[in-house]
Amino acid sequence: MRQSRSASEREAARAKAWSRQTIFVTIALLYCSQLSSCGAESQKPAPSGQHAELPWYVTTAAIHRMMLKPSTKYWRFEHLSIEPGAAEAQLKELHANGITAIEIFAPEEGGNSYDGLDAKNRYRLDSGIGSIEDFRRLVKQVHSLRMHVIAFQNLGYSSEQADKFLKAADDERAGRNSRETEFFFWSDNADAPPPAISNSYFFARPALPGYDPTKNEFWQWSERAHKFYWTRWPGFDDQGNRVHLPQYNWNGKTWPEEAEKIIRFWLSTGIDGMVLDAVNWYAGIDWQKNAEFLTGPLNDKFSQPEGGGAFHKDDPVGWITEGGYTNLFDYGLGIWWEPENHPLEKAVREGNPELLEQALRNYHDRVVAVGGTLYFPVPNMKDAALQTLAEALIAGSGDMLCYCAPANEITRPAPGIPKLLEFKSEHAALYQNSTRRKIPTSDDAHAYAILRAAADGSERLLLVFNFASEPEEVRVDTGAIRASRYLDADGGKEISRERDELAVKLSAHGFQIYEVY
């Protein structure tokens, strides 16, 4: 695909986009304050001191989930070497495929539960991997290649073998109150009430068939502490035995203060943001603590409340307007633990673009409208043509693509997609803050046309997709667009129109992109 603008022009467009966005938001806020009627969905103002260039998570096309631990029975994601030579080869190969950001899963020393999210020591790496200084060097190496890096961590539970939990258990048994004992919930009785109550956003439960809270959420006996501790997540110890992970105490301030310290520690390594795993399951958290101890230290960096927006009652917009997060997992396109709730996959497999359109309207568009961005894990379509179409649709939707799958699944872009990812990262109309509008075609049952517009109005792109397994020529209703010229993005040739219609030839499961002027 043709990249029609020079590097200097693209940089100028990015600066203009952020400047205009700041002005528009400021005007909107002043207007709302005069009317005294601003709703919860008002867009957040740009953080003070923000650079003119758009944040990287607005412009980056794709991110890849990796881990420092080698893939084993307990750790599934692709291994990222911390050794400089090997790391450089891995990173350059990703960059060549259009992936310019990495997400390091559970970087701190952890156990065998949830790919190491059950941390043992939150301020060091696993034994045999390296030191924190090695990690800092790795982050600098990522940045030197003009890539970005975030961490994926859970601040809701720990390993049973965590240093802080072992000290807390010893202090409890000895009758000593300590900072560590306040990190966790304790009880003398197994039938004590739960230590935290739920609401529509926090302490939510998944809609899993047969999920029984009494089998996961209870007071677990600790022989070491001679007390019961509150648990919510089952896991495995170092020997592979089933255990119940201690839940951190978000009711008070002692653990939240420690959580903030942990976030600031990892930010000091130079990472560009964090995914906070299952944040709506943290026992005792609320919006105030979330803002003070989680999104507060993250400020305007990439921040995502994994799970936020997936439980139907927790409207995703709230995680942006109330939570202060900058990115959401696009659960509108699919919820991995709900087998029947995968609109993107279903739309592609059934050849039904309307399923995708409704999913984007109900979730994606509403999040972008209040200043948020989204990413979505690339699904495994198990068919080459459908795989390419699915990845192209995610890119065309305005989501950052996440190659988040385990090491033996989808970890690299499908054929033809690296070129599209490069195109996406260089065109403001495909950035995560751009808008989208469906355009009618002569065959909306199989064809899908959308007009993408940059947030600053600097460019527009028309994308046309074929959901059918056969080639098709469709006519796009350009009467719905105020434009005088359409250029083929893959070459720059001007496309002629007849009677407000643009004839588009599409290969089976193929797509075309046009620049709109």
Side-chain angles (χ1 to χ4, degrees):
M1 275 161 286
R2 186 175 67 92
Q3 295 180 12
S4 58
R5 296 180 296 167
S6 68
S8 60
E9 288 174 328
R10 290 193 296 269
E11 291 302 316
R14 290 186 184 186
K16 181 180 177 184
W18 191 253
S19 176
R20 278 198 181 185
Q21 186 178 27
T22 303
I23 293 170
F24 291 161
V25 171
T26 302
I27 292 172
L29 290 173
L30 289 171
Y31 179 69
C32 284
S33 64
Q34 290 174 350
L35 294 180
S36 301
S37 61
C38 283
E41 298 187 4
S42 297
Q43 189 172 9
K44 297 181 298 181
S48 60
Q50 179 61 261
H51 296 298
E53 186 175 354
L54 288 169
W56 68 271
Y57 49 83
V58 171
T59 64
T60 294
I63 189 168
H64 180 36
R65 181 177 294 168
M66 308 179 82
M67 62 194 323
L68 302 178
K69 306 173 180 72
S71 297
T72 68
K73 173 183 177 182
Y74 297 106
W75 308 316
R76 302 169 298 156
F77 302 110
E78 184 176 352
H79 172 237
L80 173 65
S81 177
I82 207 166
E83 191 277 318
E88 182 170 5
Q90 288 180 285
L91 294 168
K92 285 184 175 180
E93 188 269 335
L94 290 172
H95 201 295
N97 275 283
I99 301 172
T100 56
I102 59 171
E103 177 183 295
I104 300 181
F105 196 90
E108 69 275 76
E109 180 185 11
N112 292 333
S113 306
Y114 309 106
D115 298 290
L117 285 174
D118 56 336
K120 292 182 177 181
N121 186 310
R122 295 190 174 273
Y123 300 97
R124 68 186 182 203
L125 305 185
D126 282 271
S127 175
I129 290 179
S131 67
I132 288 296
E133 287 309 310
D134 293 325
F135 185 84
R136 292 178 190 273
R137 185 185 65 239
L138 175 64
V139 172
K140 288 181 180 178
Q141 187 173 17
V142 173
H143 290 159
S144 73
L145 296 171
R146 301 185 70 181
M147 300 175 71
H148 292 88
V149 54
I150 62 175
F152 188 115
Q153 291 169 291
N154 189 301
L155 297 173
Y157 56 71
S158 79
S159 166
E160 268 198 327
Q161 299 303 310
D163 51 359
K164 303 297 185 185
F165 182 71
L166 295 177
K167 183 179 185 305
D170 291 340
D171 288 346
E172 279 291 327
R173 185 162 186 171
R176 294 189 297 265
N177 290 326
S178 66
R179 180 174 174 80
E180 289 76 14
T181 61
E182 294 180 11
F183 284 177
F184 306 94
F185 297 105
W186 302 98
S187 174
D188 293 319
N189 304 301
D191 59 353
I197 59 175
S198 64
N199 64 34
S200 59
Y201 277 83
F202 295 108
F203 221 46
R205 289 192 172 100
L208 289 171
Y211 180 79
D212 184 355
T214 63
K215 293 181 179 179
N216 294 292
E217 306 168 27
F218 52 81
W219 292 102
Q220 171 69 24
W221 175 253
S222 168
E223 188 61 35
R224 183 162 181 151
H226 271 219
K227 287 281 186 73
F228 294 90
Y229 65 88
W230 184 250
T231 183
R232 225 192 158 188
W233 298 90
F236 297 94
D237 64 16
D238 292 345
Q239 290 72 47
N241 301 311
R242 195 75 162 174
V243 295
H244 297 280
L245 306 178
Q247 192 90 2
Y248 288 124
N249 177 7
W250 279 87
N251 275 346
K253 275 202 168 184
T254 306
W255 170 252
E257 289 171 349
E258 183 71 12
E260 179 184 5
K261 179 182 174 184
I262 292 164
I263 290 174
R264 293 192 184 281
F265 171 81
W266 285 97
L267 289 178
S268 75
T269 67
I271 62 172
D272 302 296
M274 296 179 74
V275 176
L276 300 175
D277 179 50
V279 68
N280 47 357
W281 282 48
Y282 296 178
I285 196 171
D286 55 27
W287 287 129
Q288 287 72 28
K289 289 172 185 169
N290 173 85
E292 182 176 357
F293 302 109
L294 297 180
T295 55
L298 285 164
N299 195 10
D300 61 342
K301 293 183 180 292
F302 179 99
S303 57
Q304 182 194 114
E306 191 277 337
F311 294 96
H312 305 292
K313 290 184 179 180
D314 63 323
D315 188 322
V317 167
W319 291 99
I320 306 298
T321 59
E322 309 303 319
Y325 289 92
T326 60
N327 181 273
L328 291 185
F329 186 121
D330 194 343
Y331 287 109
L333 296 184
I335 299 177
W336 59 267
W337 60 84
E338 295 185 7
E340 300 304 316
N341 195 349
H342 294 271
L344 170 64
E345 291 186 51
K346 188 174 182 181
V348 172
R349 293 190 192 284
E350 296 183 1
N352 184 355
E354 184 60 24
L355 293 175
L356 174 63
E357 173 64 18
Q358 289 305 314
L360 291 169
R361 287 188 182 188
N362 294 339
Y363 199 105
H364 169 98
D365 295 354
R366 297 178 63 246
V367 171
V368 172
V370 295
T373 63
L374 301 100
Y375 87 17
F376 187 67
V378 171
N380 186 351
M381 302 302 298
K382 298 181 172 62
D383 177 275
L386 297 185
Q387 187 68 40
T388 298
L389 176 59
E391 294 183 35
L393 287 167
I394 298 171
S397 75
D399 280 6
M400 184 192 304
L401 287 78
C402 183
Y403 292 88
C404 294
N408 61 345
E409 295 186 23
I410 303 296
T411 60
R412 295 296 186 277
I417 296 300
K419 187 177 180 181
L420 176 60
L421 295 179
E422 183 180 2
F423 184 87
K424 173 176 165 60
S425 69
E426 298 293 349
H427 285 264
L430 293 179
Y431 289 168
Q432 276 73 262
N433 67 341
S434 59
T435 59
R436 49 171 296 283
R437 179 165 64 91
K438 181 182 177 183
I439 304 299
T441 75
S442 59
D443 184 11
D444 284 345
H446 301 102
Y448 183 51
I450 52 174
L451 182 68
R452 304 283 326 183
D456 68 332
S458 62
E459 73 168 2
R460 294 188 296 170
L461 295 172
L462 176 66
L463 288 75
V464 189
F465 298 88
N466 182 12
F467 278 64
S469 57
E470 300 292 335
E472 184 173 4
E473 179 173 321
V474 298
R475 296 181 302 280
V476 178
D477 179 11
T478 56
I481 306 171
R482 187 177 67 181
S484 58
R485 300 173 65 209
Y486 293 82
L487 273 62
D488 182 351
D490 192 16
K493 179 182 178 182
E494 185 166 353
I495 308 300
S496 61
R497 290 176 294 154
E498 292 183 5
R499 298 177 183 177
D500 286 334
E501 289 184 340
L502 183 69
V504 180
K505 293 182 178 180
L506 297 165
S507 61
H509 298 128
F511 62 93
Q512 294 287 344
I513 303 178
Y514 302 95
E515 297 175 9
V516 180
Y517 296 97

mmCIF file of all heavy atoms in Angstrom, residues 344-380:
data_model
loop_
_atom_site.group_PDB
_atom_site.id
_atom_site.type_symbol
_atom_site.label_atom_id
_atom_site.label_comp_id
_atom_site.label_asym_id
_atom_site.label_seq_id
_atom_site.Cartn_x
_atom_site.Cartn_y
_atom_site.Cartn_z
ATOM 1 N N LEU A 344 -16.663 -10.974 16.447
ATOM 2 C CA LEU A 344 -15.742 -10.856 15.319
ATOM 3 C C LEU A 344 -15.570 -12.205 14.630
ATOM 4 O O LEU A 344 -15.723 -12.310 13.404
ATOM 5 C CB LEU A 344 -14.386 -10.339 15.784
ATOM 6 C CG LEU A 344 -13.278 -10.398 14.722
ATOM 7 C CD1 LEU A 344 -13.588 -9.485 13.552
ATOM 8 C CD2 LEU A 344 -11.918 -10.082 15.316
ATOM 9 N N GLU A 345 -15.264 -13.233 15.389
ATOM 10 C CA GLU A 345 -15.074 -14.559 14.798
ATOM 11 C C GLU A 345 -16.347 -15.039 14.106
ATOM 12 O O GLU A 345 -16.295 -15.588 12.996
ATOM 13 C CB GLU A 345 -14.651 -15.562 15.871
ATOM 14 C CG GLU A 345 -13.263 -15.340 16.423
ATOM 15 C CD GLU A 345 -12.856 -16.438 17.376
ATOM 16 O OE1 GLU A 345 -12.967 -17.621 17.002
ATOM 17 O OE2 GLU A 345 -12.425 -16.119 18.511
ATOM 18 N N LYS A 346 -17.476 -14.834 14.761
ATOM 19 C CA LYS A 346 -18.736 -15.282 14.188
ATOM 20 C C LYS A 346 -19.040 -14.546 12.888
ATOM 21 O O LYS A 346 -19.488 -15.153 11.899
ATOM 22 C CB LYS A 346 -19.866 -15.076 15.190
ATOM 23 C CG LYS A 346 -21.190 -15.686 14.770
ATOM 24 C CD LYS A 346 -22.232 -15.564 15.876
ATOM 25 C CE LYS A 346 -23.543 -16.225 15.462
ATOM 26 N NZ LYS A 346 -24.583 -16.108 16.519
ATOM 27 N N ALA A 347 -18.786 -13.246 12.875
ATOM 28 C CA ALA A 347 -19.037 -12.456 11.675
ATOM 29 C C ALA A 347 -18.196 -12.952 10.501
ATOM 30 O O ALA A 347 -18.683 -13.075 9.372
ATOM 31 C CB ALA A 347 -18.738 -10.982 11.948
ATOM 32 N N VAL A 348 -16.924 -13.259 10.772
ATOM 33 C CA VAL A 348 -16.030 -13.715 9.712
ATOM 34 C C VAL A 348 -16.413 -15.113 9.246
ATOM 35 O O VAL A 348 -16.483 -15.387 8.041
ATOM 36 C CB VAL A 348 -14.566 -13.674 10.194
ATOM 37 C CG1 VAL A 348 -13.635 -14.325 9.169
ATOM 38 C CG2 VAL A 348 -14.132 -12.230 10.445
ATOM 39 N N ARG A 349 -16.682 -16.012 10.185
ATOM 40 C CA ARG A 349 -17.007 -17.395 9.816
ATOM 41 C C ARG A 349 -18.348 -17.484 9.084
ATOM 42 O O ARG A 349 -18.493 -18.277 8.147
ATOM 43 C CB ARG A 349 -17.033 -18.281 11.059
ATOM 44 C CG ARG A 349 -15.675 -18.452 11.720
ATOM 45 C CD ARG A 349 -15.701 -19.521 12.797
ATOM 46 N NE ARG A 349 -14.496 -19.489 13.603
ATOM 47 C CZ ARG A 349 -13.310 -19.965 13.207
ATOM 48 N NH1 ARG A 349 -13.211 -20.512 12.012
ATOM 49 N NH2 ARG A 349 -12.265 -19.900 14.000
ATOM 50 N N GLU A 350 -19.317 -16.680 9.502
ATOM 51 C CA GLU A 350 -20.642 -16.732 8.888
ATOM 52 C C GLU A 350 -20.770 -15.781 7.698
ATOM 53 O O GLU A 350 -21.803 -15.769 7.021
ATOM 54 C CB GLU A 350 -21.719 -16.403 9.927
ATOM 55 C CG GLU A 350 -21.796 -17.426 11.050
ATOM 56 C CD GLU A 350 -22.912 -17.121 12.045
ATOM 57 O OE1 GLU A 350 -23.629 -16.115 11.835
ATOM 58 O OE2 GLU A 350 -23.051 -17.880 13.019
ATOM 59 N N GLY A 351 -19.747 -14.978 7.448
ATOM 60 C CA GLY A 351 -19.816 -14.028 6.347
ATOM 61 C C GLY A 351 -20.864 -12.960 6.558
ATOM 62 O O GLY A 351 -21.535 -12.540 5.614
ATOM 63 N N ASN A 352 -20.992 -12.486 7.811
ATOM 64 C CA ASN A 352 -22.056 -11.550 8.168
ATOM 65 C C ASN A 352 -21.462 -10.272 8.763
ATOM 66 O O ASN A 352 -21.230 -10.191 9.970
ATOM 67 C CB ASN A 352 -23.005 -12.203 9.167
ATOM 68 C CG ASN A 352 -24.186 -11.311 9.514
ATOM 69 O OD1 ASN A 352 -24.266 -10.162 9.082
ATOM 70 N ND2 ASN A 352 -25.115 -11.847 10.299
ATOM 71 N N PRO A 353 -21.195 -9.257 7.960
ATOM 72 C CA PRO A 353 -20.561 -8.039 8.474
ATOM 73 C C PRO A 353 -21.396 -7.271 9.486
ATOM 74 O O PRO A 353 -20.864 -6.509 10.286
ATOM 75 C CB PRO A 353 -20.312 -7.206 7.211
ATOM 76 C CG PRO A 353 -21.230 -7.749 6.178
ATOM 77 C CD PRO A 353 -21.411 -9.190 6.500
ATOM 78 N N GLU A 354 -22.711 -7.454 9.466
ATOM 79 C CA GLU A 354 -23.560 -6.701 10.393
ATOM 80 C C GLU A 354 -23.258 -7.064 11.844
ATOM 81 O O GLU A 354 -23.372 -6.220 12.742
ATOM 82 C CB GLU A 354 -25.040 -6.947 10.075
ATOM 83 C CG GLU A 354 -26.007 -6.134 10.931
ATOM 84 C CD GLU A 354 -25.820 -4.621 10.791
ATOM 85 O OE1 GLU A 354 -25.294 -4.168 9.759
ATOM 86 O OE2 GLU A 354 -26.212 -3.901 11.732
ATOM 87 N N LEU A 355 -22.869 -8.306 12.110
ATOM 88 C CA LEU A 355 -22.516 -8.708 13.471
ATOM 89 C C LEU A 355 -21.329 -7.896 13.983
ATOM 90 O O LEU A 355 -21.311 -7.463 15.135
ATOM 91 C CB LEU A 355 -22.178 -10.200 13.509
ATOM 92 C CG LEU A 355 -23.322 -11.181 13.236
ATOM 93 C CD1 LEU A 355 -22.788 -12.613 13.190
ATOM 94 C CD2 LEU A 355 -24.397 -11.053 14.319
ATOM 95 N N LEU A 356 -20.356 -7.680 13.112
ATOM 96 C CA LEU A 356 -19.192 -6.883 13.488
ATOM 97 C C LEU A 356 -19.570 -5.428 13.688
ATOM 98 O O LEU A 356 -19.147 -4.792 14.661
ATOM 99 C CB LEU A 356 -18.105 -7.013 12.426
ATOM 100 C CG LEU A 356 -16.879 -6.117 12.620
ATOM 101 C CD1 LEU A 356 -16.154 -6.471 13.906
ATOM 102 C CD2 LEU A 356 -15.943 -6.239 11.421
ATOM 103 N N GLU A 357 -20.361 -4.885 12.784
ATOM 104 C CA GLU A 357 -20.755 -3.481 12.872
ATOM 105 C C GLU A 357 -21.466 -3.186 14.186
ATOM 106 O O GLU A 357 -21.165 -2.194 14.867
ATOM 107 C CB GLU A 357 -21.653 -3.115 11.681
ATOM 108 C CG GLU A 357 -22.265 -1.722 11.745
ATOM 109 C CD GLU A 357 -21.234 -0.605 11.694
ATOM 110 O OE1 GLU A 357 -20.089 -0.860 11.271
ATOM 111 O OE2 GLU A 357 -21.590 0.527 12.075
ATOM 112 N N GLN A 358 -22.401 -4.036 14.577
ATOM 113 C CA GLN A 358 -23.124 -3.810 15.825
ATOM 114 C C GLN A 358 -22.209 -3.923 17.031
ATOM 115 O O GLN A 358 -22.326 -3.160 17.996
ATOM 116 C CB GLN A 358 -24.289 -4.797 15.939
ATOM 117 C CG GLN A 358 -25.435 -4.515 14.981
ATOM 118 C CD GLN A 358 -25.964 -3.093 15.128
ATOM 119 O OE1 GLN A 358 -26.199 -2.595 16.232
ATOM 120 N NE2 GLN A 358 -26.155 -2.419 13.994
ATOM 121 N N ALA A 359 -21.274 -4.874 16.999
ATOM 122 C CA ALA A 359 -20.330 -5.030 18.108
ATOM 123 C C ALA A 359 -19.465 -3.782 18.261
ATOM 124 O O ALA A 359 -19.224 -3.314 19.380
ATOM 125 C CB ALA A 359 -19.450 -6.264 17.879
ATOM 126 N N LEU A 360 -19.001 -3.222 17.152
ATOM 127 C CA LEU A 360 -18.174 -2.018 17.210
ATOM 128 C C LEU A 360 -18.971 -0.813 17.692
ATOM 129 O O LEU A 360 -18.472 0.010 18.471
ATOM 130 C CB LEU A 360 -17.571 -1.734 15.834
ATOM 131 C CG LEU A 360 -16.511 -2.737 15.353
ATOM 132 C CD1 LEU A 360 -16.181 -2.507 13.887
ATOM 133 C CD2 LEU A 360 -15.250 -2.644 16.205
ATOM 134 N N ARG A 361 -20.203 -0.686 17.262
ATOM 135 C CA ARG A 361 -21.034 0.438 17.710
ATOM 136 C C ARG A 361 -21.314 0.375 19.207
ATOM 137 O O ARG A 361 -21.308 1.403 19.899
ATOM 138 C CB ARG A 361 -22.365 0.436 16.948
ATOM 139 C CG ARG A 361 -22.267 0.876 15.506
ATOM 140 C CD ARG A 361 -23.640 1.035 14.897
ATOM 141 N NE ARG A 361 -23.582 1.404 13.493
ATOM 142 C CZ ARG A 361 -24.634 1.742 12.764
ATOM 143 N NH1 ARG A 361 -25.843 1.749 13.328
ATOM 144 N NH2 ARG A 361 -24.495 2.056 11.495
ATOM 145 N N ASN A 362 -21.560 -0.817 19.696
ATOM 146 C CA ASN A 362 -21.956 -0.963 21.093
ATOM 147 C C ASN A 362 -20.803 -0.802 22.073
ATOM 148 O O ASN A 362 -21.031 -0.494 23.248
ATOM 149 C CB ASN A 362 -22.613 -2.334 21.311
ATOM 150 C CG ASN A 362 -23.925 -2.467 20.578
ATOM 151 O OD1 ASN A 362 -24.559 -1.473 20.224
ATOM 152 N ND2 ASN A 362 -24.339 -3.697 20.310
ATOM 153 N N TYR A 363 -19.577 -1.010 21.634
ATOM 154 C CA TYR A 363 -18.448 -1.023 22.569
ATOM 155 C C TYR A 363 -17.331 -0.091 22.088
ATOM 156 O O TYR A 363 -17.082 0.949 22.701
ATOM 157 C CB TYR A 363 -17.943 -2.462 22.707
ATOM 158 C CG TYR A 363 -17.098 -2.737 23.931
ATOM 159 C CD1 TYR A 363 -17.627 -3.441 25.014
ATOM 160 C CD2 TYR A 363 -15.776 -2.335 24.012
ATOM 161 C CE1 TYR A 363 -16.852 -3.722 26.141
ATOM 162 C CE2 TYR A 363 -15.002 -2.604 25.126
ATOM 163 C CZ TYR A 363 -15.545 -3.300 26.182
ATOM 164 O OH TYR A 363 -14.770 -3.566 27.295
ATOM 165 N N HIS A 364 -16.694 -0.459 21.008
ATOM 166 C CA HIS A 364 -15.533 0.291 20.509
ATOM 167 C C HIS A 364 -15.824 1.780 20.335
ATOM 168 O O HIS A 364 -15.098 2.631 20.866
ATOM 169 C CB HIS A 364 -15.078 -0.311 19.181
ATOM 170 C CG HIS A 364 -14.068 0.515 18.455
ATOM 171 N ND1 HIS A 364 -12.713 0.269 18.517
ATOM 172 C CD2 HIS A 364 -14.199 1.607 17.658
ATOM 173 C CE1 HIS A 364 -12.075 1.156 17.809
ATOM 174 N NE2 HIS A 364 -12.953 1.983 17.269
ATOM 175 N N ASP A 365 -16.856 2.106 19.580
ATOM 176 C CA ASP A 365 -17.123 3.505 19.252
ATOM 177 C C ASP A 365 -17.395 4.335 20.497
ATOM 178 O O ASP A 365 -16.998 5.502 20.583
ATOM 179 C CB ASP A 365 -18.308 3.605 18.296
ATOM 180 C CG ASP A 365 -18.027 2.980 16.938
ATOM 181 O OD1 ASP A 365 -16.873 2.559 16.694
ATOM 182 O OD2 ASP A 365 -18.968 2.888 16.123
ATOM 183 N N ARG A 366 -18.071 3.750 21.471
ATOM 184 C CA ARG A 366 -18.406 4.480 22.701
ATOM 185 C C ARG A 366 -17.148 4.761 23.531
ATOM 186 O O ARG A 366 -17.029 5.811 24.170
ATOM 187 C CB ARG A 366 -19.419 3.684 23.519
ATOM 188 C CG ARG A 366 -20.748 3.492 22.783
ATOM 189 C CD ARG A 366 -21.729 2.657 23.586
ATOM 190 N NE ARG A 366 -22.081 3.322 24.832
ATOM 191 C CZ ARG A 366 -21.769 2.865 26.036
ATOM 192 N NH1 ARG A 366 -21.123 1.719 26.160
ATOM 193 N NH2 ARG A 366 -22.127 3.514 27.109
ATOM 194 N N VAL A 367 -16.203 3.824 23.534
ATOM 195 C CA VAL A 367 -14.957 4.028 24.280
ATOM 196 C C VAL A 367 -14.110 5.112 23.620
ATOM 197 O O VAL A 367 -13.574 5.997 24.291
ATOM 198 C CB VAL A 367 -14.174 2.699 24.382
ATOM 199 C CG1 VAL A 367 -12.779 2.937 24.957
ATOM 200 C CG2 VAL A 367 -14.935 1.701 25.254
ATOM 201 N N VAL A 368 -13.989 5.064 22.298
ATOM 202 C CA VAL A 368 -13.212 6.073 21.586
ATOM 203 C C VAL A 368 -13.834 7.455 21.766
ATOM 204 O O VAL A 368 -13.123 8.454 21.907
ATOM 205 C CB VAL A 368 -13.111 5.708 20.090
ATOM 206 C CG1 VAL A 368 -12.465 6.847 19.298
ATOM 207 C CG2 VAL A 368 -12.302 4.424 19.910
ATOM 208 N N ALA A 369 -15.157 7.532 21.809
ATOM 209 C CA ALA A 369 -15.851 8.822 21.928
ATOM 210 C C ALA A 369 -15.516 9.553 23.218
ATOM 211 O O ALA A 369 -15.608 10.784 23.271
ATOM 212 C CB ALA A 369 -17.360 8.616 21.819
ATOM 213 N N VAL A 370 -15.118 8.818 24.271
ATOM 214 C CA VAL A 370 -14.783 9.477 25.537
ATOM 215 C C VAL A 370 -13.273 9.554 25.759
ATOM 216 O O VAL A 370 -12.811 9.828 26.864
ATOM 217 C CB VAL A 370 -15.463 8.779 26.740
ATOM 218 C CG1 VAL A 370 -16.973 8.925 26.643
ATOM 219 C CG2 VAL A 370 -15.049 7.317 26.851
ATOM 220 N N GLY A 371 -12.497 9.314 24.704
ATOM 221 C CA GLY A 371 -11.049 9.505 24.794
ATOM 222 C C GLY A 371 -10.237 8.262 25.046
ATOM 223 O O GLY A 371 -9.029 8.356 25.277
ATOM 224 N N GLY A 372 -10.853 7.085 25.024
ATOM 225 C CA GLY A 372 -10.122 5.853 25.260
ATOM 226 C C GLY A 372 -9.588 5.240 23.982
ATOM 227 O O GLY A 372 -9.969 5.624 22.873
ATOM 228 N N THR A 373 -8.692 4.286 24.142
ATOM 229 C CA THR A 373 -8.209 3.479 23.028
ATOM 230 C C THR A 373 -8.469 2.014 23.369
ATOM 231 O O THR A 373 -8.780 1.677 24.513
ATOM 232 C CB THR A 373 -6.706 3.692 22.778
ATOM 233 O OG1 THR A 373 -5.959 3.244 23.935
ATOM 234 C CG2 THR A 373 -6.388 5.154 22.511
ATOM 235 N N LEU A 374 -8.321 1.126 22.367
ATOM 236 C CA LEU A 374 -8.593 -0.288 22.596
ATOM 237 C C LEU A 374 -7.571 -1.160 21.896
ATOM 238 O O LEU A 374 -6.978 -0.763 20.892
ATOM 239 C CB LEU A 374 -9.987 -0.670 22.079
ATOM 240 C CG LEU A 374 -11.178 0.075 22.666
ATOM 241 C CD1 LEU A 374 -11.637 1.171 21.713
ATOM 242 C CD2 LEU A 374 -12.334 -0.864 22.975
ATOM 243 N N TYR A 375 -7.363 -2.351 22.472
ATOM 244 C CA TYR A 375 -6.651 -3.388 21.731
ATOM 245 C C TYR A 375 -7.443 -4.675 21.801
ATOM 246 O O TYR A 375 -8.292 -4.852 22.677
ATOM 247 C CB TYR A 375 -5.197 -3.520 22.157
ATOM 248 C CG TYR A 375 -4.784 -4.415 23.316
ATOM 249 C CD1 TYR A 375 -5.573 -5.430 23.858
ATOM 250 C CD2 TYR A 375 -3.499 -4.278 23.854
ATOM 251 C CE1 TYR A 375 -5.120 -6.256 24.876
ATOM 252 C CE2 TYR A 375 -3.035 -5.087 24.874
ATOM 253 C CZ TYR A 375 -3.858 -6.083 25.378
ATOM 254 O OH TYR A 375 -3.408 -6.898 26.383
ATOM 255 N N PHE A 376 -7.190 -5.567 20.822
ATOM 256 C CA PHE A 376 -7.914 -6.832 20.795
ATOM 257 C C PHE A 376 -6.983 -7.958 20.382
ATOM 258 O O PHE A 376 -6.245 -7.829 19.405
ATOM 259 C CB PHE A 376 -9.095 -6.763 19.831
ATOM 260 C CG PHE A 376 -9.981 -7.982 19.892
ATOM 261 C CD1 PHE A 376 -10.731 -8.253 21.026
ATOM 262 C CD2 PHE A 376 -10.050 -8.862 18.829
ATOM 263 C CE1 PHE A 376 -11.534 -9.383 21.100
ATOM 264 C CE2 PHE A 376 -10.862 -9.989 18.889
ATOM 265 C CZ PHE A 376 -11.602 -10.249 20.031
ATOM 266 N N PRO A 377 -6.996 -9.058 21.120
ATOM 267 C CA PRO A 377 -6.152 -10.200 20.760
ATOM 268 C C PRO A 377 -6.588 -10.833 19.447
ATOM 269 O O PRO A 377 -7.781 -11.043 19.214
ATOM 270 C CB PRO A 377 -6.363 -11.178 21.925
ATOM 271 C CG PRO A 377 -6.821 -10.326 23.056
ATOM 272 C CD PRO A 377 -7.642 -9.251 22.416
ATOM 273 N N VAL A 378 -5.632 -11.129 18.611
ATOM 274 C CA VAL A 378 -5.904 -11.751 17.324
ATOM 275 C C VAL A 378 -6.400 -13.179 17.552
ATOM 276 O O VAL A 378 -5.729 -13.977 18.206
ATOM 277 C CB VAL A 378 -4.629 -11.763 16.463
ATOM 278 C CG1 VAL A 378 -4.827 -12.590 15.206
ATOM 279 C CG2 VAL A 378 -4.212 -10.332 16.135
ATOM 280 N N PRO A 379 -7.594 -13.534 17.047
ATOM 281 C CA PRO A 379 -8.110 -14.891 17.243
ATOM 282 C C PRO A 379 -7.461 -15.870 16.275
ATOM 283 O O PRO A 379 -6.896 -15.476 15.257
ATOM 284 C CB PRO A 379 -9.603 -14.736 16.936
ATOM 285 C CG PRO A 379 -9.644 -13.635 15.907
ATOM 286 C CD PRO A 379 -8.535 -12.684 16.291
ATOM 287 N N ASN A 380 -7.561 -17.138 16.592
ATOM 288 C CA ASN A 380 -7.064 -18.190 15.701
ATOM 289 C C ASN A 380 -8.234 -18.704 14.875
ATOM 290 O O ASN A 380 -9.062 -19.477 15.362
ATOM 291 C CB ASN A 380 -6.441 -19.320 16.517
ATOM 292 C CG ASN A 380 -5.779 -20.362 15.641
ATOM 293 O OD1 ASN A 380 -5.912 -20.346 14.414
ATOM 294 N ND2 ASN A 380 -5.040 -21.278 16.251
#
